[in-house]
Amino acid sequence: MKSMDKGKTQFNEKMTAFFKGLPEKAKGLVYPDNLTCDLCGEELMVKSRYNLCSKCIEDLRIIGGHICLNCGVAIDNEAEYCDRCQHTSSVFKINRSPMIYDGKARDAIHALKFGGKKYLVKTIGAMMADTFLKYNMEGEIIVPVPMTEKDKKKRGFNQAELLAYEVGARLNIPVLPALKKTKETSMQKELSGKDRAENLTKVFEVVYPQVKDRKILLIDDIFTTGATANECAKALLKGKCKEVSVLTACITKLKPLME
Ligand SMILES: [Zn+2]
Ligand SMILES: [Zn+2]
């Protein structure tokens, strides 16, 4: 028997002994079902902060250490800004993301968006809320990056909105879907950085005047070139908000992924 299996058996035996004599109803409360890793399904012996096993946490590229002052991507030299931000100007204050959009993080975002695995919002949202606190980010109102009504209907949900409500609940910040996406844009990922920005011009508008004089925390799933965040921030600033900070689940590596 492998030592890990042995440990598991001992743990289970202990739990069985512990539960003897407990009323049936109480068992579910103390020892919840589905105590499994959100990404690989491996059984979790101990409930971890993010509902992930240690192997999956290891595989994620969690951002820490020296980062770009603007977009928050990890940089491996002493520069203050990454290559992406040295050549673009943005109207939002900062972006921060807990993870690089790669490997398992990318699988998780895909599973949420295209696989409809909405339970992933809890783990990803928890990581985003921790990132907000880690970098002393500010926000009085959370605003999700919107989808057009047509796109949302097609998918059944807007993942940015689900993440926004999860982060809002954890940080106790109200969520207001203050932006509307007014026109369809051709697939952003097929476009270059400049074309992406042009494609998004005047696509977003503010539909709630309550953003006025408020510090806004804009939430999205992925930060790629920053064009979407920037256009949303422009619309919010036009709506006279005080400032816009951006919190995204993942940021692409410096060379934007064309997938
Ligand atoms: Zn796992
Ligand atoms: Zn940057």
Side-chain angles (χ1 to χ4, degrees), residues 143-149 151-152 157-161 176-183 185 200 203-207 218-221 228-229 231-233 235-236:
V143 176
V145 169
M147 289 169 92
T148 59
E149 284 305 318
D151 283 348
K152 192 177 163 181
F157 59 91
N158 170 4
Q159 68 283 352
E161 208 173 280
L176 187 69
L179 286 174
K180 196 176 165 194
K181 192 172 180 188
T182 51
K183 69 172 184 193
T185 44
L200 284 168
V203 165
F204 301 103
E205 67 178 45
V206 168
V207 287
L218 181 73
I219 289 198
D220 204 0
D221 53 349
T228 301
E231 286 308 314
C232 287
L236 288 161

Side-chain angles (χ1 to χ4, degrees), residues 37-42 44 51-57 104:
C37 172
D38 274 357
L39 293 183
C40 70
E42 179 75 20
L44 297 178
N51 230 27
L52 297 172
C53 71
S54 51
K55 171 86 177 60
C56 285
I57 288 179
K104 281 224 166 125

